[in-house]
Amino acid sequence: VNAVLFNVRTRGFNSAMYWFAQMLAAVWAGRMLDNNSSQSSLHRRGLSGFWRMLVLFNVSYALGVYLQLAYEGGYERGESGTRRLIDISEPSRFAFPLLVLVLYAAADTVVQVYSYWIMSAVAGEDASACARFTGYYKGVQSLGAAMAWAMDMETFQVRYITQLLVCWILFLLACPPVYMVVESLRRMEPKKTGKEEEMEEATAGVADLLKSDEEK
């Protein structure tokens, strides 16, 4: 997107916005998944993160399909020398492609954060299992990066829309097993003793009292 649609100075700005969006998305996803309040169980956080990730990814890729096929007539490889590149001084042309780029960044980050969170949730306190999960994950990720690089080579001339659809389909195929793993987190919830539940209720009561005093 960035290299094909924009001129040089706009690409630099877009790159900064891309990484900024990744930082914001990482903070948002981390706070959502690591919310250890008494009302947010491991399973509930995993389920909430799953649906938000699913929506964000599908929305970003649906907009990406529109950008490739319909926005200003669409774009395809080999057209960079025949179309007028977008400049940052043209907000009417610039806004939508930038939005898609930012959403791509956010979706990528949320998938990454959620993947690591799921692995750590399943591994629990077993550092060895967590290391094995991470090694396998990075191996598959590196294989995917190598395949994406090969698909983008001029030798094969794989269309941009084909590359996007391959990524989208792989994501959708991965969602059902991820959902099953999330559901399995119900069995991993530590059971609380009666004393622990009483302590949580007492702590919540004190917090409510302090909050009401601050409001007064």
Side-chain angles (χ1 to χ4, degrees):
V1 175
N2 203 24
V4 175
L5 296 182
F6 301 95
N7 61 20
V8 175
R9 73 168 186 167
T10 310
R11 290 174 203 164
F13 177 80
N14 291 348
S15 295
M17 294 301 295
Y18 182 93
W19 294 111
F20 183 65
Q22 288 218 320
M23 289 186 285
L24 291 180
V27 172
W28 172 71
R31 288 185 175 179
M32 172 187 64
L33 293 169
D34 291 335
N35 177 19
N36 290 321
S37 68
S38 59
Q39 303 300 319
S40 184
S41 66
L42 194 66
H43 170 259
R44 186 177 298 176
R45 281 180 280 149
L47 201 58
S48 174
F50 174 82
W51 290 118
R52 294 183 191 193
M53 175 188 67
L54 186 66
V55 170
L56 177 60
F57 196 97
N58 283 305
V59 167
S60 64
Y61 270 60
L63 293 176
V65 169
Y66 173 76
L67 177 66
Q68 289 198 19
L69 297 181
Y71 186 75
E72 293 191 349
Y75 68 94
E76 191 49 83
R77 66 185 315 141
E79 296 179 354
S80 57
T82 61
R83 62 184 301 129
R84 188 168 67 87
L85 297 178
I86 300 172
D87 186 77
I88 194 173
S89 63
E90 304 173 285
S92 61
R93 300 182 67 214
F94 170 68
F96 182 73
L98 177 64
L99 172 65
V100 174
L101 196 64
V102 165
L103 288 176
Y104 279 163
D108 175 66
T109 298
V110 171
V111 169
Q112 294 274 354
V113 171
Y114 190 75
S115 299
Y116 284 111
W117 184 86
I118 281 288
M119 287 185 282
S120 65
V122 172
E125 298 182 1
D126 188 343
S128 178
C130 195
R132 289 196 299 272
F133 292 158
T134 304
Y136 178 78
Y137 172 80
K138 296 305 291 185
V140 173
Q141 187 182 49
S142 298
L143 175 62
M147 291 173 61
W149 174 80
M151 290 176 66
D152 200 39
M153 291 175 63
E154 291 296 330
T155 306
F156 299 108
Q157 294 289 315
V158 179
R159 297 180 62 200
Y160 290 144
I161 188 63
T162 303
Q163 296 180 40
L164 185 149
L165 292 176
V166 167
C167 292
W168 199 354
I169 291 169
L170 287 174
F171 171 80
L172 293 175
L173 289 175
C175 284
V178 171
Y179 182 81
M180 289 188 286
V181 172
V182 172
E183 285 300 306
S184 72
L185 295 178
R186 290 180 185 273
R187 302 190 299 271
M188 300 179 186
E189 293 287 350
K191 295 183 178 180
K192 298 176 182 178
T193 63
K195 185 174 289 186
E196 286 175 333
E197 291 178 350
E198 290 175 4
M199 286 293 293
E200 284 188 357
E201 291 176 1
T203 303
V206 171
D208 291 339
L209 287 173
L210 291 174
K211 186 177 180 180
S212 62
D213 289 342
E214 289 175 358
E215 291 175 351
K216 292 179 181 178

